[in-house]
Amino acid sequence: MTAGTDLTATDTEATRIPLDPFVSDLDAESAALRAAGPLAAVTLPGGVPVWAVTHHAEAKRLLTDPRLVKDINVWTAWQRGEIAPDWPLIGLADPPRSMLTVDGDDHRRLRTLVAQALTPRRVERMRERITELTGSLLDQVATQSGDTVDLKAVFAYPLPMYVIADLMGLAEERLPRLKELFEKFFSTQTPPEEVVATLTELAGIMAETVAAKRENPGDDLTSALIQASEDGDRLTDEEIVATLQLMVAAGHETTISLIVNAVVNLSTHPDQRALVLSGKADWSAVVEETLRWSTPTSHVLIRFATEDVPVGDKVLPAGDALIVSYAAIGRDEQAHGPTAGDFDITRESPHRHISFGHGPHVCPGAALSRLEAGVALPALYARFPGLDLAVPAAELRNKPVVTQNDLYELPVTLGG
């Protein structure tokens, strides 16, 4: 595949940064992206050339710039047929119609209707259920045999998945298959022949859920989406299905990575762990610093430029695609000072990060993710204060997911 627009003389084929499909060293890759300037020319897995915004200030500006839109038909490479329908990341570049994929009045309409269903009160009502699930899962963790436990498999994965299933009204028996499908959905290694089938099956499960909730509504977000209205306007079934898929995908993946990364960070920074376990630092600081320093979402796909947009000393050309590289942005010294590369839960202004996005498309599930991590982490360490990594951090392996900072497994010892 070739680029939709020729790169400038300073961004040639030789200097474009390829994103590693196996995510073997995200820190080094992110440092290279930052060093390339606020706008870096990169290549996505599959040979797709795009641009990446890598600095905090420029990302905030571009995330509110109306010249950057979600309409894939603006992308020159798409118009010319250079992006294959079985490209592994096509589901993230051209997802079904939802508030993630539209702009302007359409986005405001969808966001308003979703906000009627995903209210702060509904999120807060989940606290009791999250606490209950956390305690139950920790009871199961305590019964694990052997010296080493995969904390991701037995705790960090099932907690967000059960929570999102409860919130959305998904049948629990669907969860094992959804796990398999979402792994294929996010992976850069999904065989081309499975890409379309994966997207079709995911949409089918969500459509069946919506149909079931129309027939028998419950106290869940899917039923609330069906009932949501604004001046007589309602979401279509297509919009509800797309929103359900978006919320389930983002709602569990982000929180899994947040919990896993927080445990890794505390294990590799014992001085910081001692601060929070002694009560000299708050768990909210652990959550926010983890979101900044090892953000769960490494790159967000994709926006498209409707006209030339200056970024630093470069120009994002009209018709080209832009990704937001949150893993690079989180350690931008211009935003976070000379210690941006340090994990420090005592940092001033920890909330300056934009790891849940910024502007009109800021993540609507941010409060739920923070709530889950804010319940899960202190409960985990209250039960197992001696918890630590069972292997050196350098041996932990990232999954082949360029959009998520996600480990295959999290082997730990539980301590005494």
Side-chain angles (χ1 to χ4, degrees):
M1 300 180 200
T2 58
T5 303
D6 290 337
L7 296 172
T8 63
T10 57
D11 289 297
T12 63
E13 293 290 336
T15 59
R16 190 185 292 137
I17 299 171
L19 297 190
D20 178 10
F22 296 101
V23 199
S24 55
D25 193 343
L26 181 60
D27 287 351
E29 183 175 87
S30 298
L33 289 171
R34 279 193 304 277
L39 185 68
V42 304
T43 307
L44 292 174
V48 175
V50 300
W51 299 82
V53 58
T54 65
H55 290 188
H56 181 98
E58 287 78 7
K60 287 185 70 175
R61 181 172 63 81
L62 291 176
L63 286 167
T64 57
D65 192 322
R67 295 172 293 181
L68 274 295
V69 300
K70 292 299 194 85
D71 183 1
I72 196 172
N73 294 301
V74 171
W75 194 6
T76 306
W78 177 262
Q79 295 171 3
R80 298 202 297 234
E82 296 167 2
I83 310 300
D86 58 1
W87 180 42
L89 298 177
I90 193 63
L92 295 165
D94 185 31
R97 177 184 167 82
S98 72
M99 61 185 176
L100 180 69
T101 61
V102 294
D103 300 284
D105 290 343
D106 283 342
H107 176 262
R108 281 186 288 274
R109 167 185 169 267
L110 292 174
R111 184 110 187 175
T112 298
L113 292 170
V114 171
Q116 290 182 17
L118 187 62
T119 62
R121 183 178 179 183
R122 182 180 291 275
V123 171
E124 183 56 32
R125 277 168 45 199
M126 293 296 295
R127 181 182 296 275
E128 183 177 350
R129 178 60 174 150
I130 293 167
T131 302
E132 176 188 328
L133 284 168
T134 297
S136 176
L137 288 169
L138 290 176
D139 287 343
Q140 295 177 39
V141 171
T143 66
Q144 297 290 309
S145 60
D147 297 329
T148 300
V149 174
D150 179 1
L151 194 66
K152 179 179 179 182
V154 299
F155 183 67
Y157 172 80
L159 175 61
M161 203 63 193
Y162 284 136
V163 168
I164 202 68
D166 273 7
L167 180 67
M168 305 305 297
L170 284 168
E172 224 173 86
E173 59 267 22
R174 296 280 199 185
L175 299 187
R177 182 55 180 162
L178 283 172
K179 180 178 187 291
E180 297 171 355
L181 291 171
F182 277 118
E183 285 182 349
K184 292 180 180 180
F185 177 80
F186 284 108
S187 177
T188 60
Q189 301 305 301
T190 300
E193 64 272 16
E194 295 182 18
V195 170
V196 174
T198 296
L199 297 174
T200 301
E201 187 174 351
L202 272 173
I205 291 174
M206 303 306 167
E208 289 172 10
T209 300
V210 172
K213 291 301 175 181
R214 277 200 183 279
E215 189 72 23
N216 294 294
D219 184 19
D220 54 74
L221 189 55
T222 302
S223 299
L225 288 170
I226 293 169
Q227 294 299 318
S229 65
E230 176 74 10
D231 296 329
D233 184 21
R234 291 187 183 275
L235 293 165
T236 67
D237 275 8
E238 178 189 13
E239 290 166 342
I240 297 170
V241 166
T243 300
L244 178 56
Q245 181 169 320
L246 166 65
M247 297 297 291
V248 174
H252 80 281
E253 279 290 338
T254 298
T255 309
I256 293 167
S257 296
L258 174 54
I259 294 171
V260 166
N261 293 345
V263 171
V264 174
N265 293 344
L266 293 176
S267 296
T268 53
H269 298 82
D271 57 328
Q272 304 286 296
R273 180 176 58 195
L275 285 174
V276 72
L277 292 185
S278 67
K280 295 178 181 177
D282 293 333
W283 282 103
S284 62
V286 175
V287 172
E288 298 306 323
E289 184 67 348
T290 297
L291 286 167
R292 180 197 72 84
W293 194 75
S294 50
T295 177
T297 304
S298 44
H299 307 282
V300 166
L301 310 183
I302 291 179
R303 288 167 168 80
F304 310 99
T306 58
E307 59 183 83
D308 288 354
V309 180
V311 184
D313 60 354
K314 299 175 185 174
V315 173
L316 171 62
D320 274 17
L322 177 80
I323 67 172
V324 184
S325 294
Y326 287 109
I329 291 165
R331 301 191 191 183
D332 179 7
E333 291 188 2
Q334 295 178 28
H336 303 291
T339 63
D342 298 338
F343 178 77
D344 180 7
I345 62 175
T346 67
R347 180 180 304 280
E348 294 183 6
S349 302
H351 292 266
R352 287 193 64 199
H353 68 78
I354 56 170
S355 296
F356 281 118
H358 178 73
H361 287 279
V362 67
C363 176
L368 179 61
S369 187
R370 284 185 166 106
L371 175 60
E372 290 180 68
V375 170
L377 290 169
L380 172 66
Y381 281 91
R383 183 75 67 94
F384 307 111
L387 184 147
D388 208 348
L389 293 180
V391 299
E395 294 183 13
L396 298 173
R397 298 179 303 133
N398 280 334
K399 295 176 72 173
V401 181
V402 297
T403 57
Q404 298 294 127
N405 186 3
D406 191 15
L407 296 176
Y408 273 107
E409 58 187 2
L410 181 60
V412 301
T413 55
L414 300 178

